[in-house]
Amino acid sequence: MKKLLSLLLVLTVISSLCGCNLGTKSLKLNETVTIGDYEVTITGTEFTYGWDPNTIVSFSNSKDGLIHFIIHYTVKNVGSSEITIPKDIFKVVYDDEYKYEASFGDSYFYSYDVNAYVANGDVLPPLSKEIKCKTCIDVSEQIKDDTEKPLKLEFKLKGKKYIIDLRA
């Protein structure tokens, strides 16, 4: 009887650990992931010195020694209730050591009503069509120029962490 209880206890612990988010999941660009009611796809990244979410021109110039790292992604509501578009969920990791995070106000969402990116259109109704989004993170210029060291994009949503290797 003790052996049976011990075995059940071990199996219970193992099954509960399997349900936990013990690590991260690797993704590739343009791979779609469903996290709860969110369907998210990272569609691309780019470096630029001047950034306007609508035209990529000199609207917001980067500070000396920094460059804008732009993340292009889409979000879709696949659930039955209204959701908020996730903001400031991204982190750029360079050489597995240097981390740069999105700040409040650095994310923009495409509004089909005005046909432009806006900072305040952040609610998606149930079963919405996908919305194009952009986030800007200021990073060191060295990251753009040093293509020998690894560069990763991380994002967390609803307690789950995902990593995209941009340069291995």
Side-chain angles (χ1 to χ4, degrees), residues 2-3 47 53 59 74 93 101 114 116 119 133 137 146 160 162:
K2 281 187 176 183
K3 287 183 182 180
F47 292 98
F59 172 81
T74 62
V93 181
E101 297 185 42
V114 295
C133 305
I137 300 175
D146 186 0
K160 298 185 188 264
Y162 298 87

Side-chain angles (χ1 to χ4, degrees), residues 2-167:
K2 281 187 176 183
K3 287 183 182 180
L4 181 60
L5 284 175
S6 296
L7 180 62
L8 282 174
L9 181 60
V10 168
L11 290 174
T12 302
V13 169
I14 289 171
S15 67
S16 67
L17 288 175
C18 290
C20 294
N21 184 13
L22 295 176
T24 60
K25 181 175 180 185
S26 293
L27 297 176
K28 295 182 185 333
L29 285 176
N30 294 307
E31 183 177 348
T32 300
V33 62
T34 301
I35 308 163
D37 291 344
Y38 295 89
E39 189 175 274
V40 180
T41 306
I42 311 302
T43 57
T45 62
E46 66 181 303
F47 292 98
T48 185
Y49 287 100
W51 184 61
D52 176 337
N54 289 297
T55 60
I56 307 294
V57 294
S58 293
F59 172 81
S60 173
N61 292 322
S62 56
K63 298 174 186 163
D64 285 341
L66 298 177
I67 189 168
H68 298 309
F69 183 80
I70 311 299
I71 302 146
H72 301 269
Y73 62 106
T74 62
V75 177
K76 183 177 179 181
N77 182 355
V78 294
S80 59
S81 59
E82 195 173 77
I83 62 171
T84 302
I85 295 174
K87 298 179 184 178
D88 312 322
I89 60 173
F90 295 104
K91 184 185 296 184
V92 175
V93 181
Y94 168 67
D95 197 21
D96 296 323
E97 182 178 354
Y98 304 96
K99 298 175 180 169
Y100 301 85
E101 297 185 42
S103 300
F104 179 75
D106 290 337
S107 296
Y108 293 81
F109 318 100
Y110 193 79
S111 168
Y112 291 101
D113 294 334
V114 295
N115 292 321
Y117 283 90
V118 297
N120 59 359
D122 61 351
V123 175
L124 292 176
L127 299 176
S128 68
K129 62 183 176 179
E130 88 181 8
I131 298 293
K132 296 183 285 185
C133 305
K134 296 179 184 179
T135 293
C136 176
I137 300 175
D138 285 339
V139 300
S140 169
E141 287 179 319
Q142 179 178 337
I143 294 173
K144 178 183 181 233
D145 299 332
D146 186 0
T147 59
E148 297 297 315
K149 294 190 177 160
L151 181 63
K152 298 176 184 177
L153 178 63
E154 294 182 2
F155 75 95
K156 287 184 184 178
L157 184 60
K158 298 186 81 60
K160 298 185 188 264
K161 183 177 175 182
Y162 298 87
I163 295 179
I164 297 174
D165 284 320
L166 300 172
R167 287 194 307 239

